[in-house]
């Protein structure tokens, strides 16, 4: 910026507006508003007065293909051309022509506002399970808030489940699902906010008597079920929510349909140092005493924090992956 213009800007408050060119008035307006933060939900995102949204964590998408470390193949599919929702499928590299494998339907974490089915954290979570368990996984890339306010993420996730169910007769649009999925062994899973979505969908399957497919189980890893106090960010992302314990999505204990959850078993995984640990344990106890006829298991990783398995490969990650695989593959 030229020095004279800079000096004018420095002294704008002292100069009568009638003496300023229109261009300077416009520039002053931009300076007064464009960088003003109206909502700060760090470390997730900030909202500026001009409507811009700035996310703190943005990871590049990885291309689909063969992962040489695990021998897992992946491909991307379109769930809904209208909404633009897509998904990524992960499958073992070697599968017999007539071999049917369990299916793990995954919803990523990220507070409903960050994350993707296509970035490295989802790859880190799913490829070891697919390789170790000889299962198929599909991660639904639901649309993110606040651009797409809740409950859109839940609706997109349900649409993904219906799209998957459309393959149960072997006539769906995706050959990997038609040819290689055992639709008697379908599991829902997610970490953090994704676990919240997986739980909610499992309840809706049972409550609505949906016959699209039979769920074998649900696996909730470090699930997000709100906080003790009102969650202001959730209120912003979901204008119809109080952000508190009267919202059944945040507090399943007040959901009259909890006992109707539409699967046979559930696995609730928590981490000892996770700030959401106690809410996860409370969910486990609530489900166990809700009258739901299924079997619920509780698994705690000592010494680890929230979603550690997405960020590092270690003995604790291996143990968690083994627990998930055993839950899916053992009767």
């Amino acid at each position: 910026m030229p020095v004279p213009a800079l000096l004018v800007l420095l002294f704008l408050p002292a100069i009568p507006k009638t003496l300023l060119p229109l261009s300077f008035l416009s520039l002053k307006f931009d300076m007064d508003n464009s960088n003003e933060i109206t909502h700060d939900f760090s470390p997730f995102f900030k909202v500026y007065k001009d409507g811009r949204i700035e996310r703190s964590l943005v990871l590049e998408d990885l291309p689909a293909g063969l992962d040489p470390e695990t021998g897992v193949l992946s491909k991307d599919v379109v769930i809904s051309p209208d909404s633009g929702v897509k998904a990524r499928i992960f499958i073992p590299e070697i599968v017999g022509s007539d071999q049917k494998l369990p299916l793990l339907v995954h919803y990523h974490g990220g507070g409903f506002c960050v994350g993707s089915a296509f970035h490295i954290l989802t790859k880190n979570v799913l490829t070891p399970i697919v390789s170790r368990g000889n299962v198929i996984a599909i991660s639904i890339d639901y649309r993110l808030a606040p651009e797409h306010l809740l409950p859109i993420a839940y609706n997109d996730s349900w649409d993904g489940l219906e799209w998957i169910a459309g393959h149960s007769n072997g006539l769906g649009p995706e050959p990997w699902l038609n040819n290689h999925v055992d639709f008697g062994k379908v599991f829902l899973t997610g970490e953090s906010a994704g676990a919240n979505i997986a739980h909610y969908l499992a309840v809706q399957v049972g409550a609505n008597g949906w016959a699209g497919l039979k769920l074998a189980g649900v696996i909730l890893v470090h699930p997000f079920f709100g906080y003790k106090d009102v969650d202001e960010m959730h209120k912003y992302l979901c204008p119809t929510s109080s952000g508190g314990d009267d919202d059944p999505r945040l507090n399943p204990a007040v959901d009259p349909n909890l006992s109707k959850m539409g699967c046979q078993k559930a696995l609730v995984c928590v981490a000892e140092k996770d700030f959401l640990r106690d809410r996860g344990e409370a969910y486990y106890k609530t489900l166990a005493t809700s009258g739901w006829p299924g079997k619920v298991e509780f698994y705690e990783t000592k010494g680890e924090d929230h979603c550690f398995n997405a960020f590092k490969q270690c003995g604790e990650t291996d143990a968690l992956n083994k627990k998930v695989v055993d839950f899916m593959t053992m009767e």
Side-chain angles (χ1 to χ4, degrees):
M1 179 181 297
V3 173
L6 177 59
L7 291 174
V8 171
L9 289 176
L10 290 174
F11 291 97
L12 271 175
I15 300 176
K17 292 183 173 59
T18 55
L19 299 181
L20 288 173
L22 182 60
S23 59
F24 279 114
L25 291 176
S26 299
L27 182 56
K28 179 180 184 297
F29 178 82
D30 289 341
M31 289 183 63
D32 287 348
N33 291 275
S34 62
N35 291 320
E36 181 179 343
I37 297 173
T38 59
H39 297 85
D40 188 345
F41 295 116
S42 299
F44 290 100
F45 65 93
K46 298 176 183 177
V47 181
Y48 291 86
K49 193 170 184 178
D50 63 2
R52 285 182 297 123
I53 296 170
E54 179 183 274
R55 285 180 167 82
S56 304
L57 177 63
V58 179
L59 297 176
E60 292 185 6
D61 290 346
L62 299 177
L66 176 64
D67 177 34
E69 293 183 8
T70 59
V72 171
L73 287 169
S74 61
K75 71 157 66 170
D76 298 337
V77 294
V78 176
I79 298 294
S80 170
D82 293 335
S83 67
V85 173
K86 301 178 181 179
R88 177 162 290 182
I89 306 175
F90 301 82
I91 190 170
E93 182 180 11
I94 301 176
V95 182
S97 59
D98 297 323
Q99 190 174 9
K100 302 289 187 178
L101 305 178
L103 178 66
L104 186 64
V105 184
H106 172 262
Y107 306 98
H108 67 79
F112 305 102
C113 57
V114 298
S116 165
F118 311 119
H119 64 39
I120 191 169
L121 299 183
T122 298
K123 170 184 174 293
N124 289 348
V125 167
L126 293 180
T127 53
I129 294 172
V130 170
S131 176
R132 180 172 195 157
N134 201 35
V135 302
I136 298 172
I138 179 170
S139 184
I140 308 299
D141 196 51
Y142 56 84
R143 288 172 289 176
L144 301 177
E147 293 91 342
H148 305 281
L149 293 172
L150 296 173
I152 287 178
Y154 295 97
N155 297 338
D156 288 348
S157 299
W158 180 265
D159 289 346
L161 197 57
E162 288 194 319
W163 183 86
I164 292 167
H167 295 76
S168 59
N169 60 2
L171 300 176
E174 174 46 51
W176 280 7
L177 301 187
N178 289 332
N179 298 333
H180 298 301
V181 168
D182 180 349
F183 283 95
K185 296 181 179 179
V186 177
F187 296 81
L188 304 185
T189 190
E191 64 279 350
S192 196
N196 180 289
I197 292 174
H199 153 79
Y200 180 77
L201 296 191
V203 171
Q204 299 313 302
V205 166
N208 297 327
W210 185 56
L213 53 78
K214 182 179 179 182
L215 294 182
V218 62
I219 303 165
L220 309 184
V221 179
H222 311 159
F224 167 75
F225 287 115
Y227 309 104
K228 181 179 180 181
D229 300 321
V230 170
D231 184 345
E232 294 296 335
M233 187 177 88
H234 194 82
K235 284 176 62 178
Y236 182 80
L237 299 179
C238 185
T240 59
S241 173
S242 69
D245 275 349
D246 61 340
D247 184 340
R249 291 193 182 104
L250 297 180
N251 179 23
V254 300
D255 187 347
N257 292 320
L258 179 61
S259 63
K260 301 176 183 178
M261 192 162 73
C263 58
Q264 303 167 1
K265 58 182 182 177
L267 172 63
V268 182
C269 303
V270 302
E272 181 184 21
K273 296 182 178 180
D274 185 0
F275 65 106
L276 297 178
R277 182 218 173 275
D278 291 346
R279 295 286 284 196
E281 184 178 27
Y283 168 83
Y284 158 73
K285 293 178 178 178
T286 297
L287 182 60
T289 58
S290 68
W292 174 60
K295 177 183 178 182
V296 57
E297 298 181 39
F298 183 76
Y299 178 82
E300 181 172 10
T301 301
K302 298 293 185 180
E304 291 295 344
D305 213 325
H306 189 64
C307 293
F308 69 92
N309 56 312
F311 293 93
K312 63 179 181 179
Q313 296 299 316
C314 60
E316 288 75 15
T317 298
D318 290 342
L320 176 58
N321 290 339
K322 181 179 184 302
K323 181 64 179 180
V324 171
V325 167
D326 288 347
F327 181 80
M328 292 183 65
T329 57
M330 296 178 66
E331 298 296 335

